[in-house]
Amino acid sequence: MKIQKDLRMTKPFDADVDESGRLRLPAAIAEKYGLKPGTSVRIEENANGLHLRRPVTQLARVYIEPTNRCNLDCITCIRNSWDEPLGEMSSTVFSRIVEDLKLLPVPPSVFLGGLGEPLSHPRIVDMVKELKSLGCFVELITNGTLLHKDLSRQLIEAGLDMLWVSLDGATPESYKDVRLGAALPQVLANLRDFRYARWATHYPTGIDLLLQPQLGIVFVAMKRNIADLPAVFSLASRCGSLHFLVTNILPYTPEMKEEILYSRAITDSIYTSAPMLRSLDFPKMDIGATTREAVFAALRGDHSLKISGASFGERNNRCPFIEKGSLAIRWDGDVSPCLALLHDHKVYFHDYERSLKRHTVGNVQVQTLEEIWNKPDYLTLRNRVQEFNFSPCVLCGGCEFFESNQEDCIGSPAPTCGGCLWAQGIIRCP
């Protein structure tokens, strides 16, 4: 059995070029990225080299939604903008997924999450254990309120590789202001218990820290809590977190439109990838009392920006789900290209109410994951998303087509992704 490992630390490797100019990669790298003979690969040229993107034929990551139920009622939640039935994944559906994963040539990484609280599923520990038995790298995201001491121990014993915890405030008042019904002191106590449970299994030292169930913190940034960010960093460090992910809020209600921190970021020249007449290439520099005002004024200028040669705009129009070679499975077995297309819902952006329709490419109770993944229409969609052949809706400012994801002004078939904030690096998921 091959064990899938999530190598957060990578190193350079050597590749050979044969007499015909063909690049020959090491066998392990070719297998890791699904580079089989005859595979078509998209290569992009930048100023100093080539960027080889993952082929859209490789299924490398599976998001599984154990349930869309949750024990909280957060102001940031998608449940504020949908009217969908609630449910949890049955043993039959999950067993079908497990059997399908066995058929894949390399075990994918699996993320247990979606639009609900995974720890509220009664079989969540068994799910982790079964997925680990296949050799998958298993991650799970939680709000932390249900992570009691015994459950922490059970998840660790089941082989969980990564636990992500949503933490959106540094004080009980600011935390409760976002995650209604939750108590920050209890969540922090649960995280301490999780850390101690890891130590009880094997006290981590040095590089062993990377071999234990790792902890990551997710922070949803908005006007009401951004001042808490440094303090949340500190809390995360004290809880033993090695990973910290900051994302923006996606407004599911009109009220949340006032909380966004990216009203200019999408069109600001420093973040765009469009050719500019003026450019600024900035070095690494201390940011402190002496430099911050001058640096900030320089960064806010009308030019494209690079820092040590890296452009902020290079991450635009890139679907993170396509980049990871992933798909998402809803609690009832429906398969979608990404988490954003699992459910019908509304979002608010550019003063528009957008009614986004879910997009289903199959159901695991009808076809295997491999059959669904290889459907011609689904492959065509992944190619189109990788090329990002859609109207530039986030830059445009909006029109009648922007009110849904079913069509855009250049006639792209559904789903249209030109208005997707994940693809612009605004909204992010683990």
Side-chain angles (χ1 to χ4, degrees):
M1 179 192 304
K2 297 176 181 177
I3 303 298
Q4 171 82 7
K5 293 185 178 180
D6 184 48
L7 300 178
R8 303 273 169 172
M9 300 174 65
T10 59
K11 59 183 180 180
F13 59 87
D14 293 323
D16 301 321
V17 178
D18 65 16
E19 296 80 2
S20 301
R22 292 174 296 192
L23 185 66
R24 297 185 300 187
L25 300 173
I29 294 296
E31 181 183 56
K32 179 180 178 180
Y33 291 99
L35 300 172
K36 301 176 182 179
T39 299
S40 177
V41 179
R42 186 176 180 84
I43 299 177
E44 297 173 352
E45 185 176 9
N46 57 33
N48 299 308
L50 302 174
H51 177 79
L52 186 151
R53 301 179 70 176
R54 184 190 300 273
V56 297
T57 52
Q58 185 198 29
L59 177 55
R61 185 169 177 81
V62 175
Y63 290 86
I64 298 176
E65 181 183 69
T67 179
N68 63 352
R69 294 192 176 105
C70 187
N71 61 314
L72 300 184
D73 186 20
C74 303
I75 62 174
T76 57
C77 187
I78 192 174
R79 285 171 197 76
N80 295 311
S81 71
W82 76 9
D83 182 19
E84 290 212 353
L86 301 179
E88 62 188 31
M89 185 169 285
S90 67
S91 297
T92 301
V93 170
F94 184 73
S95 295
R96 285 298 302 267
I97 295 172
V98 170
E99 292 303 312
D100 290 351
L101 293 178
K102 290 179 182 178
L103 302 176
L104 299 179
V106 178
S109 64
V110 177
F111 184 94
L112 293 167
L115 285 307
E117 171 51 53
L119 295 187
S120 67
H121 195 288
R123 294 193 64 248
I124 192 63
V125 173
D126 292 333
M127 288 180 168
V128 173
K129 187 179 300 183
E130 289 187 54
L131 292 168
K132 283 303 299 178
S133 71
L134 304 179
C136 299
F137 184 94
V138 182
E139 302 177 62
L140 184 150
I141 190 167
T142 175
N143 59 44
T145 58
L146 302 179
L147 188 68
H148 54 75
K149 186 181 300 184
D150 289 341
L151 184 54
S152 288
R153 177 183 52 79
Q154 293 169 15
L155 289 170
I156 292 168
E157 291 176 352
L160 183 68
D161 294 291
M162 170 73 79
L163 180 72
W164 292 95
V165 179
S166 298
L167 199 62
D168 299 330
T171 67
E173 294 75 22
S174 62
Y175 186 83
K176 186 178 179 181
D177 189 36
V178 176
R179 297 195 170 272
L180 305 179
L184 180 63
Q186 183 60 56
V187 172
L188 295 179
N190 291 344
L191 290 179
R192 287 193 293 270
D193 287 340
F194 179 79
R195 189 182 191 186
Y196 296 150
R198 291 191 300 171
W199 289 352
T201 304
H202 174 65
Y203 191 88
T205 59
I207 193 64
D208 286 345
L209 280 169
L210 298 177
L211 304 180
Q212 302 304 304
Q214 299 173 49
L215 177 64
I217 299 299
V218 180
F219 180 86
V220 180
M222 60 195 95
K223 290 179 181 178
R224 69 174 62 199
N225 71 350
I226 190 62
D228 276 13
L229 185 58
V232 174
F233 275 133
S234 179
L235 285 176
S237 179
R238 293 202 297 271
C239 290
S241 174
L242 295 177
H243 308 279
F244 201 105
L245 176 68
V246 179
T247 182
N248 280 294
I249 184 177
L250 183 60
Y252 293 115
T253 63
E255 293 75 21
M256 286 295 101
K257 286 193 304 180
E258 306 306 317
E259 294 287 340
I260 69 170
L261 298 170
Y262 48 90
S263 58
R264 295 194 308 264
I266 291 176
T267 56
D268 200 316
S269 61
I270 71 172
Y271 292 118
T272 63
S273 54
M276 302 289 293
L277 294 177
R278 303 173 62 197
S279 65
L280 171 62
D281 201 332
F282 220 77
K284 295 178 181 178
M285 182 181 293
D286 291 342
I287 304 298
T290 304
T291 62
R292 61 189 177 200
E293 294 301 326
V295 169
F296 178 76
L299 299 187
R300 286 290 301 132
D302 184 18
H303 44 242
S304 60
L305 174 68
K306 292 183 179 180
I307 294 183
S308 295
S311 170
F312 283 3
E314 289 179 355
R315 300 310 302 171
N316 295 339
N317 295 341
R318 291 183 182 271
C319 171
F321 299 99
I322 295 294
E323 297 280 290
K324 295 174 183 177
S326 62
L327 56 71
I329 308 174
R330 212 167 75 148
W331 65 271
D332 58 3
D334 277 352
V335 178
S336 294
C338 64
L339 292 176
L341 294 175
L342 276 180
H343 299 276
D344 291 341
H345 62 282
K346 293 179 181 179
V347 298
Y348 293 84
F349 187 60
H350 280 334
D351 292 325
Y352 280 81
E353 177 184 282
R354 303 194 70 207
S355 296
L356 304 182
K357 300 297 183 182
R358 70 187 184 101
H359 187 78
T360 302
V361 293
N363 188 289
V364 296
Q365 299 186 84
V366 179
Q367 293 175 292
T368 67
L369 274 180
E370 192 169 24
E371 289 172 338
I372 294 171
W373 181 254
N374 292 321
K375 281 184 174 181
D377 288 350
Y378 188 16
L379 180 59
T380 298
L381 172 61
R382 296 198 301 274
N383 271 310
R384 191 167 73 247
V385 175
Q386 188 178 69
E387 296 171 3
F388 218 77
N389 187 20
F390 303 102
S391 297
C393 299
V394 294
L395 299 175
C396 172
C399 68
E400 65 272 17
F401 292 109
F402 191 66
E403 296 174 358
S404 180
N405 63 343
Q406 298 303 290
E407 187 180 1
D408 62 22
C409 62
I410 64 171
S412 303
T416 57
C417 301
C420 177
L421 297 184
W422 277 267
Q424 308 305 322
I426 300 293
I427 309 297
R428 308 174 68 212
C429 296

